[in-house]
């Protein structure tokens, strides 16, 4: 089947999986990336290898019409990690679907992986669903890949597992029988939209138990949490800790060795092992 892919490297395995399954790419829709947290080098390289056009601006109805004029209506628009709502596709293309990194209807929204760990989910997954024009991540479900996650899950391990699950969906049920899945698609039912996280969501509160603090550190991983240490604000990438009774005020630095900082929490200690200071100029705009 012919397909256009809309997305970045985040779920670029979907693009690769469809190509490996014999699908023919006809266009890449991507977006500008900062090269730090968002990348599209891999999908752009794949598109260039197959000599298909690349567009970095938002998909408009005219873009879909142009593809249909060239290829007919019998192709698929496959979306995975694309930030803009796509409308105007019904009647112009046979199939339009989104690959979303959550077991819908749980976890609608731009990036639900953080909260999956923060809220201690025991299982997670990836969903392929019909692209709905009325909102994000609400279309009928085509297929899901659900897997258990552990109490020690980190942002990086969950991201990798979602990427692998998305590729399995692409190479498996989507590539094998999209028309059949389309006919049997099931409504999602009730669900909630999870908004983009804020700096408050990323901030460590040493008045909490050690387990809750370390879970927040794991939930954000290389995206980093924020913390106030003495009179400074820092980015925290890695920490460990233990429970132990003490009389220190939570948030107090009780010990340091080289760049390792030991901070008192409600019921023990948190050892910050990888961190960087927030520059004063950026202290009020830490949305990285």
């Amino acid at each position: 089947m012919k397909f256009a892919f809309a997305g970045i490297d985040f779920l670029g395995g979907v693009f690769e999986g469809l190509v490996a399954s014999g699908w023919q790419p006809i266009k890449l829709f991507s977006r500008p990336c900062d090269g730090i947290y968002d990348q599209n080098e891999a999908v752009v390289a794949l598109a260039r290898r197959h000599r298909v056009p690349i567009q970095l601006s938002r998909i408009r109805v005219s873009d879909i019409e142009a593809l249909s004029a060239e290829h007919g209506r019998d192709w698929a628009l496959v979306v995975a990690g694309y930030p803009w709502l796509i409308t105007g596709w019904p009647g112009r293309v046979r199939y339009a679907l989104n690959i979303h990194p959550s077991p819908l209807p749980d976890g609608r929204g731009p990036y639900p992986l953080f909260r999956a760990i923060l809220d201690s989910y025991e299982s997670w997954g990836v969903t392929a669903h019909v692209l709905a024009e009325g909102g994000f991540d609400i279309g009928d479900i085509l297929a899901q890949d659900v897997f258990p996650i552990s109490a020690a899950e980190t942002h990086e391990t969950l991201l990798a597992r979602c990427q692998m699950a998305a590729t399995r969906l692409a190479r498996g049920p989507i590539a094998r029988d999209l028309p059949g899945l389309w006919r049997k698609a099931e409504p999602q039912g009730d669900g909630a939209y999870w908004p983009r996280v804020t700096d408050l969501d990323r901030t460590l509160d040493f008045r909490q138990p050690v387990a809750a603090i370390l879970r927040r550190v794991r939930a954000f991983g290389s995206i980093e949490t924020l913390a106030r240490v003495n009179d400074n604000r820092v980015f925290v990438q890695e920490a460990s800790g233990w429970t132990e009774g003490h009389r220190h005020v939570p948030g107090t630095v009780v010990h340091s060795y080289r760049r390792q900082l030991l901070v008192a929490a409600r019921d023990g200690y948190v050892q910050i092992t990888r961190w960087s200071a927030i520059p004063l100029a950026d202290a009020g705009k830490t949305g990285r």
Side-chain angles (χ1 to χ4, degrees):
M1 180 177 290
K2 293 181 179 180
F3 76 103
F5 181 78
I8 59 174
D9 293 356
F10 163 51
L11 293 178
V14 171
F15 190 172
E16 295 183 74
L18 292 174
V19 170
S21 299
W23 282 32
Q24 178 187 344
I26 57 176
K27 187 166 183 176
L28 169 65
F29 296 98
S30 191
R31 61 174 172 84
C33 295
D34 61 18
I36 302 172
Y37 298 107
D38 297 323
Q39 297 88 19
N40 62 5
E41 290 92 343
V43 292
V44 166
L46 188 58
R48 287 175 175 163
R49 192 182 316 147
H50 289 273
R51 300 181 178 179
V52 299
I54 299 168
Q55 178 176 319
L56 299 182
S57 58
R58 182 174 181 171
I59 298 173
R60 305 292 182 183
V61 173
S62 58
D63 299 315
I64 299 173
E65 289 175 335
L67 285 175
S68 294
E70 182 178 356
H71 300 281
R73 292 179 58 247
D74 198 18
W75 55 280
L77 174 60
V78 181
V79 181
Y82 191 73
W84 296 302
L85 187 66
I86 300 170
T87 60
W89 67 266
R92 295 181 173 91
V93 56
R94 183 80 62 192
Y95 309 106
L97 59 142
N98 181 48
I99 311 294
H100 184 69
S102 85
L104 293 173
D106 281 347
R108 295 171 182 159
Y111 197 81
L113 273 62
F114 303 131
R115 186 167 161 184
I117 297 175
L118 288 173
D119 289 357
S120 301
Y121 273 73
E122 294 181 354
S123 65
W124 199 244
V126 174
T127 303
H129 67 88
V130 175
L131 199 63
E133 294 196 296
F136 289 102
D137 311 321
I138 60 174
D140 293 354
I141 292 176
L142 300 167
Q144 287 187 315
D145 187 305
V146 178
F147 49 83
I149 59 177
S150 74
E153 205 75 45
T154 69
H155 169 260
E156 280 65 40
T157 59
L158 184 55
L159 172 58
R161 297 180 75 177
C162 285
Q163 290 169 331
M164 293 171 68
T167 301
R168 286 194 298 268
L169 280 177
R171 299 191 67 159
I174 300 300
R176 286 198 305 262
D177 190 21
L178 179 56
L181 295 175
W182 198 265
R183 289 190 298 269
K184 297 181 293 184
E186 298 183 0
Q188 288 190 31
D190 294 335
Y193 181 87
W194 294 3
R196 190 174 299 278
V197 297
T198 66
D199 280 354
L200 182 60
D201 296 318
R202 296 169 57 201
T203 298
L204 302 182
D205 182 352
F206 293 105
R207 295 170 297 181
Q208 292 185 325
V210 169
I213 296 168
L214 297 184
R215 183 165 59 247
R216 193 167 302 273
V217 173
R218 292 196 309 275
F220 289 93
S222 62
I223 306 300
E224 303 174 326
T225 49
L226 309 171
R228 182 170 293 280
V229 179
N230 292 329
D231 294 326
N232 301 309
R233 295 187 71 206
V234 299
F235 290 114
V236 177
Q237 188 172 21
E238 186 177 276
S240 56
W242 66 90
T243 57
E244 179 182 336
H246 63 76
R247 296 184 179 181
H248 298 291
V249 175
T252 303
V253 177
V254 300
H255 179 71
S256 63
Y257 178 69
R258 298 182 182 273
R259 284 185 56 80
Q260 300 178 18
L261 304 172
L262 191 65
V263 183
R266 180 203 293 180
D267 61 351
Y269 299 101
V270 173
Q271 186 173 37
I272 301 174
T273 51
R274 294 180 63 190
W275 60 274
S276 60
I278 299 176
L280 290 177
D282 296 334
K285 49 178 182 179
T286 53
R288 86 181 199 186

